[in-house]
């Protein structure tokens, strides 16, 4: 039986009668006001994600948001701030500290017509739910010969760059990318935060939505109204940017292939290289699964050289897969072996040492210099 749904007006009534704090209600009102503004405005990744969930919940009463501390607190990173006040405690609510239970409950809801959006709070906190994700979330559609769909989104704040300790800074995308039956998205820009989360919620397939924690407070000039219109048009026409990479910066000498938290670093490296007279193209992978071979390989065939950049360990990783796919498809166009700049194959270091571990502009430029420029 589907849970009861609380409307926005009922949520406002709850706020007025004290069912939620006045501060939270005020935050919800503020979020709604920002969401209604038109024209370009300064928006953070956190606000884009929050607005995407609010718009999805407004458009479809089957969309629910739940997880640890996502309700009254608004999440550790405040990504769900104001959603409980706006939509009520039956559509945005807190759960016990039991990740396996959170995912298991979401599976049951998705099987019965709901569209749960759940948060794992931190990357490594999802590991207790790994058996549920691999054995049930990823396999249910295939196991039932297509009879049962699981339209659910598992939001995973991931990767480093925030000065966190181990268990809070893992890059766990390779585990999910290796698991057939899961889509794996990771936005790198504010606009893509909104665009890709709306697409993930609309998908009838389960999506691991990997959110780069260090980019939550990145800012950009974004027209939320235009993004809403784009989403509505795509929904009406059946088109979308799902599964498509993007050329984040055009170039001619070599291709930097990155995703999620590594895209800004790749762009910074390309800007530094330009000062030295070298033109580097930057590809933002965006969707790890499905993977856009066409866009990535078109760039590498043009430049003849490539460097893959990722925060995760290099061994048996998404970066390994990208190198293999590009080498298989672009071998006769390559002027040099493909290089990688990744996290080192060690457990995540203490906060004061993470800058040595993470890919940096200098490490990327060193890899570019190693691309056999001399004949």
């Amino acid at each position: 039986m589907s849970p009861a749904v609380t409307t926005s007006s009922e949520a406002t009534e709850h706020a007025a009668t004290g069912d939620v704090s006045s501060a939270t209600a005020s935050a919800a009102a503020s979020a709604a006001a920002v969401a209604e503004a038109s024209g370009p405005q300064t928006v953070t990744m956190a606000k884009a994600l929050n607005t995407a969930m609010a718009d999805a919940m407004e458009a479809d009463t089957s969309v629910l948001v739940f997880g640890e501390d996502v309700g009254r607190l608004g999440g550790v990173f405040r990504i769900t701030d104001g959603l409980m006040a706006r939509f009520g405690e039956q559509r945005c609510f807190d759960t016990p500290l039991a990740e396996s239970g959170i995912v298991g409950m979401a599976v049951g809801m998705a099987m019965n017509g709901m569209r749960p959006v759940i948060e794992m709070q931190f990357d490594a906190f999802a590991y207790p739910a790994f058996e549920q994700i691999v054995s049930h979330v990823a396999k249910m559609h295939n196991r039932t010969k297509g009879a049962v769909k699981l339209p659910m989104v598992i939001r995973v704040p991931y990767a480093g760059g925030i000065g966190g300790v181990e268990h809070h800074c893992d890059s766990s995308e390779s585990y999910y990318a290796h698991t057939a039956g899961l889509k794996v998205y990771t936005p790198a820009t504010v606009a893509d935060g909104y665009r890709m989360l709306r697409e993930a919620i609309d998908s009838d397939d389960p999506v691991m939505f990997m959110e780069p924690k260090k980019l939550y407070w990145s800012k950009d000039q974004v027209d939320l109204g235009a993004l809403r219109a784009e989403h509505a048009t795509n929904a009406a026409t059946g088109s979308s940017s799902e599964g498509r990479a993007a050329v984040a910066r055009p170039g001619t000498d070599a291709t930097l292939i990155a995703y999620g938290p590594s895209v800004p670093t790749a762009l910074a490296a390309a800007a530094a290289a330009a000062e030295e007279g070298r033109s580097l193209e930057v590809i933002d992978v965006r969707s790890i699964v499905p993977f856009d071979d066409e866009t990535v390989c078109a760039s590498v065939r043009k430049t003849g050289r490539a460097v893959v950049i990722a925060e995760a360990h290099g061994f048996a990783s998404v970066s390994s897969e990208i190198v293999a796919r590009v080498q298989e498809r672009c071998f006769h166009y390559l002027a040099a072996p493909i290089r990688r700049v990744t996290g080192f194959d060690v457990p995540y270091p203490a906060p004061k040492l993470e800058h040595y571990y993470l890919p940096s502009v200098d490490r990327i430029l060193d890899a570019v210099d190693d691309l056999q420029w001399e004949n």
Side-chain angles (χ1 to χ4, degrees), residues 59-361:
D60 185 350
T61 57
S62 69
V63 178
L64 307 174
V65 174
F66 56 94
E68 298 166 8
D69 296 323
V70 304
R72 294 182 183 276
L73 180 65
V76 171
F77 298 99
R78 305 299 186 267
I79 309 303
T80 56
D81 191 30
L83 296 183
M84 176 185 281
R86 182 173 173 185
F87 296 100
E89 295 184 14
Q90 291 174 311
R91 292 192 63 198
C92 178
F93 55 89
D94 295 322
T95 65
L97 305 182
E99 288 79 9
S100 181
I102 294 169
V103 175
M105 181 165 65
V107 169
M109 287 182 169
M111 290 175 66
N112 286 277
M114 309 305 287
R115 288 184 176 271
V117 180
I118 60 177
E119 181 182 301
M120 290 289 99
Q121 197 170 80
F122 283 96
D123 29 57
F125 290 11
Y127 298 153
F130 195 69
E131 194 278 332
Q132 289 274 17
I133 295 170
V134 171
S135 296
H136 304 294
V137 176
K139 294 182 172 62
M140 187 63 70
H141 188 71
N142 185 69
R143 181 184 300 141
T144 60
K145 297 182 179 180
V148 176
K149 297 179 180 179
L150 287 185
M152 57 185 286
V153 178
I154 302 177
R155 295 180 43 245
V156 183
Y158 84 117
I162 63 167
V165 296
E166 62 176 358
H167 306 307
H168 295 74
C169 292
D170 279 16
S171 292
S172 49
E173 63 271 20
S174 295
Y175 300 131
Y176 308 119
H178 181 73
T179 305
L182 300 175
K183 292 180 178 178
V184 184
Y185 297 171
T186 180
T189 69
V190 174
D192 271 349
Y194 180 92
R195 180 183 292 116
M196 294 174 68
L197 186 52
R198 289 300 304 270
E199 290 173 352
I201 295 171
D202 286 348
S203 175
D204 285 336
D205 298 310
V207 179
M208 301 299 302
F209 198 82
M210 313 297 290
E211 300 173 2
K213 294 190 293 289
K214 72 179 181 183
L215 299 186
Y216 275 148
W217 306 115
S218 60
K219 298 178 181 179
D220 201 357
Q221 288 294 307
V222 172
D223 188 336
L224 291 172
L227 286 174
R228 286 194 187 90
E230 174 189 298
H231 180 267
T233 299
N234 288 342
T237 61
S239 61
S240 75
S241 62
E242 181 183 64
R244 302 298 296 177
V247 179
R249 178 186 176 116
T252 57
D253 294 339
T255 300
L256 305 183
I257 305 167
Y259 58 84
S262 296
V263 172
T265 310
L267 288 169
E275 296 179 1
E276 301 174 355
R278 188 166 284 165
S279 174
L280 303 182
E281 183 150 293
V282 178
I283 300 296
D284 178 358
V285 170
R286 300 177 74 248
S287 171
I288 296 174
V289 180
F291 187 80
D292 184 0
D293 291 297
E294 181 180 352
T295 300
V296 173
C297 291
S299 175
V300 176
R301 289 180 186 129
K302 178 180 70 174
T303 65
R305 293 175 171 87
V307 177
V308 181
I309 306 154
E311 286 192 13
H313 305 146
F315 186 82
S317 65
V318 170
S319 65
S320 307
E321 176 65 19
I322 294 174
V323 170
R325 300 179 79 87
V326 172
Q327 188 273 340
E328 289 169 355
R329 292 162 176 79
C330 304
F331 180 79
H332 294 290
Y333 294 85
L334 292 173
I338 304 168
R339 301 300 186 190
R340 286 188 296 162
V341 179
T342 69
F344 299 116
D345 293 324
V346 298
Y348 200 85
K352 290 184 178 181
L353 299 176
E354 72 172 355
H355 65 284
Y356 294 111
Y357 172 88
L358 297 173
S360 65
V361 169

